[in-house]
Every structure is written in C-alpha cells, then in structure tokens.
C-alpha cells in the first residue's frame, strides 16, 4: 500500500484484541482512554507501548482530544518507567504507515528507557522471555502504584 493511502482500521487487530481482553498482555496501566503494556519484543528493559481506546490506525486518524489524552499518559508514564528500570533517558517513538516501520495498525507510542552504554536492540526483533516481562511489569507497576 502506498504510504499516502489511508489504511482502514481493523477492529480485529492485535491491540484491539488486547483492549477487549481476548489476548493477554503484560499490562502496566489503564484508564478510560488508554492502556499501556510491555512490548513483547523489547528494545530495552521496560520498553512499553501506550495505546488509545479510540480506534485509530495512526497519528492522523485520531481525534485531537484522543491525541491529547494519549500524550498526557506518555508524559506521565515515561519518567516513572525510567525510574523503575533505573534508566538514564527515554526514547519516545511513534511510526505511521508500513513504510515508516509501523507493524500494528492501531495507534501506539513506544516508551523505550535507555541506559548509558547498554545497546538498544532492533525494532520488533527478538521475543522476550515471558517471566522476565512479567517481572519487569511488576517492577514498573510498583512505581506507578506506589
Ligand atoms: P510498530 O512497529 O510501531 O507498529 O510497533 C508494534 C510493536 O508491537 C512492536 O514493537 C512489537 O514488538 C509489538 N508487539 C507485537 N505484538 C505484540 C504483543 N502481542 N504484545 C506486545 N507487543 C507486541
């Protein structure tokens, strides 16, 4: 598909199924408008995704109000995730369109904590160990709920 074509939102995409509770995820946060969980192929420890509950393929399909809510949650969670994993900085990434690297066509923002001297793995690379993801999620939730 050409990148200037508008993709149709698929209500059965993997993140939509997570929102409906049809497939599991390592959830760290949820409110009325958003949900956040750990990326199953983390680039670093604590790599999380924040998604909208409003169905939208990408940044250009969301309402202005929905985008405000999404970014407010990114701003709130990122420093807490950074603290929970002992990182030195945070990379925020967001891809629009397959040509730009988007693999799941439901709007989401990546929160990638960065530790000085620790390499960042490739985007959508290796699957993480489920026990390690669960332990990281608990560590993050302890800070978020603390
Ligand atoms: P993007 O390439 O920006 O669309 O990012 C999609 C991200 O979703 C990738 O980093 C994947 O590793 C991640 N991902 C795909 N399936 C799952 C899943 N079942 N649970 C958590 N993260 C996932």
């Amino acid at each position: 598909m050409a990148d200037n074509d508008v993709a149709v939102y698929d209500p059965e995409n993997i993140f939509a199924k997570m929102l409906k509770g049809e497939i599991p995820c390592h959830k760290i946060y949820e409110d009325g408008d958003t949900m956040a969980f750990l990326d199953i192929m983390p680039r670093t420890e604590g790599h999380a995704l924040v998604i909208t509950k409003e169905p939208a393929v990408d940044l250009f399909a969301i309402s202005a109000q929905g985008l405000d809510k999404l970014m407010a949650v990114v701003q709130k969670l990122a420093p807490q995730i950074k603290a929970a994993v002992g990182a030195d900085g945070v990379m925020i990434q967001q891809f629009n369109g397959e040509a730009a690297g988007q693999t799941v066509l439901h709007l989401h923002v990546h929160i990638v904590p960065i530790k000085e001297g620790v390499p960042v793995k490739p985007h959508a690379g290796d699957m993480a160990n489920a026990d390690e993801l669960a332990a990281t999620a608990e560590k993050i939730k302890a800070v978020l709920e603390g």
Side-chain angles (χ1 to χ4, degrees), residues 17 38-39 41-44 60 70 73 81-82 84 100 123 130:
K17 287 184 172 175
L38 294 186
D39 196 297
M41 293 174 248
R43 303 194 65 184
T44 63
F60 315 115
L70 174 66
V73 171
I81 294 172
K82 175 186 167 209
H123 175 61

PDB file of all heavy atoms in Angstrom, residues 17 38-39 41-44 60 70 73 81-82 84 100 123 130:
ATOM      1  N   LYS A  17      -7.647  -6.535  20.125  1.00  0.00           N
ATOM      2  CA  LYS A  17      -7.974  -7.765  20.868  1.00  0.00           C
ATOM      3  C   LYS A  17      -7.493  -7.676  22.310  1.00  0.00           C
ATOM      4  O   LYS A  17      -8.127  -8.187  23.226  1.00  0.00           O
ATOM      5  CB  LYS A  17      -7.363  -8.985  20.165  1.00  0.00           C
ATOM      6  CG  LYS A  17      -8.104  -9.346  18.892  1.00  0.00           C
ATOM      7  CD  LYS A  17      -7.550 -10.612  18.265  1.00  0.00           C
ATOM      8  CE  LYS A  17      -8.446 -11.036  17.107  1.00  0.00           C
ATOM      9  NZ  LYS A  17      -7.933 -12.162  16.374  1.00  0.00           N
ATOM     10  N   LEU A  38       3.779  -3.895  28.209  1.00  0.00           N
ATOM     11  CA  LEU A  38       5.164  -4.073  27.756  1.00  0.00           C
ATOM     12  C   LEU A  38       5.199  -4.640  26.342  1.00  0.00           C
ATOM     13  O   LEU A  38       4.409  -5.534  25.997  1.00  0.00           O
ATOM     14  CB  LEU A  38       5.923  -4.996  28.705  1.00  0.00           C
ATOM     15  CG  LEU A  38       6.141  -4.442  30.114  1.00  0.00           C
ATOM     16  CD1 LEU A  38       7.028  -5.389  30.921  1.00  0.00           C
ATOM     17  CD2 LEU A  38       6.723  -3.036  30.098  1.00  0.00           C
ATOM     18  N   ASP A  39       6.124  -4.118  25.552  1.00  0.00           N
ATOM     19  CA  ASP A  39       6.342  -4.634  24.195  1.00  0.00           C
ATOM     20  C   ASP A  39       6.902  -6.055  24.312  1.00  0.00           C
ATOM     21  O   ASP A  39       7.822  -6.317  25.094  1.00  0.00           O
ATOM     22  CB  ASP A  39       7.327  -3.729  23.441  1.00  0.00           C
ATOM     23  CG  ASP A  39       7.297  -3.959  21.943  1.00  0.00           C
ATOM     24  OD1 ASP A  39       7.628  -5.089  21.515  1.00  0.00           O
ATOM     25  OD2 ASP A  39       6.960  -3.021  21.220  1.00  0.00           O
ATOM     26  N   MET A  41       8.553  -7.640  22.146  1.00  0.00           N
ATOM     27  CA  MET A  41       9.897  -7.695  21.553  1.00  0.00           C
ATOM     28  C   MET A  41      10.644  -6.423  21.977  1.00  0.00           C
ATOM     29  O   MET A  41      10.867  -5.512  21.159  1.00  0.00           O
ATOM     30  CB  MET A  41       9.808  -7.801  20.028  1.00  0.00           C
ATOM     31  CG  MET A  41       9.217  -9.116  19.564  1.00  0.00           C
ATOM     32  SD  MET A  41       8.944  -9.177  17.790  1.00  0.00           S
ATOM     33  CE  MET A  41       7.174  -9.190  17.699  1.00  0.00           C
ATOM     34  N   PRO A  42      10.995  -6.349  23.258  1.00  0.00           N
ATOM     35  CA  PRO A  42      11.509  -5.083  23.801  1.00  0.00           C
ATOM     36  C   PRO A  42      12.874  -4.691  23.244  1.00  0.00           C
ATOM     37  O   PRO A  42      13.748  -5.537  23.089  1.00  0.00           O
ATOM     38  CB  PRO A  42      11.593  -5.364  25.304  1.00  0.00           C
ATOM     39  CG  PRO A  42      11.700  -6.846  25.420  1.00  0.00           C
ATOM     40  CD  PRO A  42      10.947  -7.422  24.258  1.00  0.00           C
ATOM     41  N   ARG A  43      13.011  -3.422  22.977  1.00  0.00           N
ATOM     42  CA  ARG A  43      14.306  -2.907  22.514  1.00  0.00           C
ATOM     43  C   ARG A  43      15.246  -2.743  23.696  1.00  0.00           C
ATOM     44  O   ARG A  43      16.468  -2.779  23.535  1.00  0.00           O
ATOM     45  CB  ARG A  43      14.115  -1.592  21.772  1.00  0.00           C
ATOM     46  CG  ARG A  43      13.143  -1.739  20.587  1.00  0.00           C
ATOM     47  CD  ARG A  43      13.211  -0.573  19.660  1.00  0.00           C
ATOM     48  NE  ARG A  43      14.514  -0.509  19.031  1.00  0.00           N
ATOM     49  CZ  ARG A  43      14.911   0.450  18.207  1.00  0.00           C
ATOM     50  NH1 ARG A  43      14.086   1.440  17.905  1.00  0.00           N
ATOM     51  NH2 ARG A  43      16.110   0.441  17.678  1.00  0.00           N
ATOM     52  N   THR A  44      14.661  -2.485  24.873  1.00  0.00           N
ATOM     53  CA  THR A  44      15.419  -2.384  26.122  1.00  0.00           C
ATOM     54  C   THR A  44      14.499  -2.871  27.243  1.00  0.00           C
ATOM     55  O   THR A  44      13.290  -3.018  27.033  1.00  0.00           O
ATOM     56  CB  THR A  44      15.805  -0.921  26.442  1.00  0.00           C
ATOM     57  OG1 THR A  44      14.604  -0.169  26.638  1.00  0.00           O
ATOM     58  CG2 THR A  44      16.638  -0.291  25.332  1.00  0.00           C
ATOM     59  N   PHE A  60      -2.698  10.280  12.426  1.00  0.00           N
ATOM     60  CA  PHE A  60      -3.510  11.177  11.602  1.00  0.00           C
ATOM     61  C   PHE A  60      -4.989  10.812  11.637  1.00  0.00           C
ATOM     62  O   PHE A  60      -5.825  11.568  11.136  1.00  0.00           O
ATOM     63  CB  PHE A  60      -2.972  11.176  10.166  1.00  0.00           C
ATOM     64  CG  PHE A  60      -1.467  11.292  10.150  1.00  0.00           C
ATOM     65  CD1 PHE A  60      -0.679  10.262   9.664  1.00  0.00           C
ATOM     66  CD2 PHE A  60      -0.837  12.398  10.704  1.00  0.00           C
ATOM     67  CE1 PHE A  60       0.704  10.343   9.708  1.00  0.00           C
ATOM     68  CE2 PHE A  60       0.548  12.484  10.748  1.00  0.00           C
ATOM     69  CZ  PHE A  60       1.323  11.454  10.250  1.00  0.00           C
ATOM     70  N   LEU A  70      -3.669  10.577  24.937  1.00  0.00           N
ATOM     71  CA  LEU A  70      -2.571   9.628  24.716  1.00  0.00           C
ATOM     72  C   LEU A  70      -1.237  10.242  25.152  1.00  0.00           C
ATOM     73  O   LEU A  70      -0.474   9.611  25.905  1.00  0.00           O
ATOM     74  CB  LEU A  70      -2.528   9.251  23.233  1.00  0.00           C
ATOM     75  CG  LEU A  70      -1.371   8.372  22.771  1.00  0.00           C
ATOM     76  CD1 LEU A  70      -1.463   6.979  23.389  1.00  0.00           C
ATOM     77  CD2 LEU A  70      -1.350   8.252  21.251  1.00  0.00           C
ATOM     78  N   VAL A  73      -0.662  10.633  28.868  1.00  0.00           N
ATOM     79  CA  VAL A  73      -0.294   9.380  29.544  1.00  0.00           C
ATOM     80  C   VAL A  73       1.173   9.032  29.247  1.00  0.00           C
ATOM     81  O   VAL A  73       1.902   8.598  30.144  1.00  0.00           O
ATOM     82  CB  VAL A  73      -1.260   8.240  29.141  1.00  0.00           C
ATOM     83  CG1 VAL A  73      -0.767   6.891  29.654  1.00  0.00           C
ATOM     84  CG2 VAL A  73      -2.650   8.538  29.697  1.00  0.00           C
ATOM     85  N   ILE A  81       8.531   4.863  34.332  1.00  0.00           N
ATOM     86  CA  ILE A  81       9.145   3.642  33.782  1.00  0.00           C
ATOM     87  C   ILE A  81      10.662   3.780  33.823  1.00  0.00           C
ATOM     88  O   ILE A  81      11.382   2.844  34.200  1.00  0.00           O
ATOM     89  CB  ILE A  81       8.644   3.391  32.342  1.00  0.00           C
ATOM     90  CG1 ILE A  81       7.146   3.075  32.350  1.00  0.00           C
ATOM     91  CG2 ILE A  81       9.429   2.275  31.677  1.00  0.00           C
ATOM     92  CD1 ILE A  81       6.494   2.999  30.976  1.00  0.00           C
ATOM     93  N   LYS A  82      11.141   4.959  33.466  1.00  0.00           N
ATOM     94  CA  LYS A  82      12.590   5.229  33.512  1.00  0.00           C
ATOM     95  C   LYS A  82      13.135   4.965  34.914  1.00  0.00           C
ATOM     96  O   LYS A  82      14.154   4.291  35.100  1.00  0.00           O
ATOM     97  CB  LYS A  82      12.836   6.689  33.099  1.00  0.00           C
ATOM     98  CG  LYS A  82      14.267   7.152  33.200  1.00  0.00           C
ATOM     99  CD  LYS A  82      14.372   8.650  32.901  1.00  0.00           C
ATOM    100  CE  LYS A  82      15.737   9.174  33.318  1.00  0.00           C
ATOM    101  NZ  LYS A  82      15.728  10.576  33.697  1.00  0.00           N
ATOM    102  N   ALA A  84      11.729   3.141  37.280  1.00  0.00           N
ATOM    103  CA  ALA A  84      11.525   1.746  37.702  1.00  0.00           C
ATOM    104  C   ALA A  84      12.643   0.834  37.215  1.00  0.00           C
ATOM    105  O   ALA A  84      13.022  -0.108  37.915  1.00  0.00           O
ATOM    106  CB  ALA A  84      10.177   1.242  37.188  1.00  0.00           C
ATOM    107  N   ALA A 100       7.061   3.403   7.167  1.00  0.00           N
ATOM    108  CA  ALA A 100       7.775   4.075   8.260  1.00  0.00           C
ATOM    109  C   ALA A 100       8.101   3.108   9.395  1.00  0.00           C
ATOM    110  O   ALA A 100       8.654   3.518  10.420  1.00  0.00           O
ATOM    111  CB  ALA A 100       6.945   5.240   8.786  1.00  0.00           C
ATOM    112  N   HIS A 123      14.247  -2.762  16.354  1.00  0.00           N
ATOM    113  CA  HIS A 123      12.785  -2.657  16.402  1.00  0.00           C
ATOM    114  C   HIS A 123      12.153  -3.988  16.009  1.00  0.00           C
ATOM    115  O   HIS A 123      12.561  -4.590  15.003  1.00  0.00           O
ATOM    116  CB  HIS A 123      12.368  -1.547  15.429  1.00  0.00           C
ATOM    117  CG  HIS A 123      10.893  -1.381  15.262  1.00  0.00           C
ATOM    118  ND1 HIS A 123      10.053  -1.048  16.287  1.00  0.00           N
ATOM    119  CD2 HIS A 123      10.100  -1.496  14.169  1.00  0.00           C
ATOM    120  CE1 HIS A 123       8.824  -0.959  15.835  1.00  0.00           C
ATOM    121  NE2 HIS A 123       8.821  -1.223  14.561  1.00  0.00           N
ATOM    122  N   ALA A 130       8.826 -14.598  28.807  1.00  0.00           N
ATOM    123  CA  ALA A 130       7.578 -14.160  29.461  1.00  0.00           C
ATOM    124  C   ALA A 130       7.783 -13.876  30.950  1.00  0.00           C
ATOM    125  O   ALA A 130       7.203 -12.924  31.493  1.00  0.00           O
ATOM    126  CB  ALA A 130       6.501 -15.215  29.266  1.00  0.00           C
TER     127      ALA A 130
END
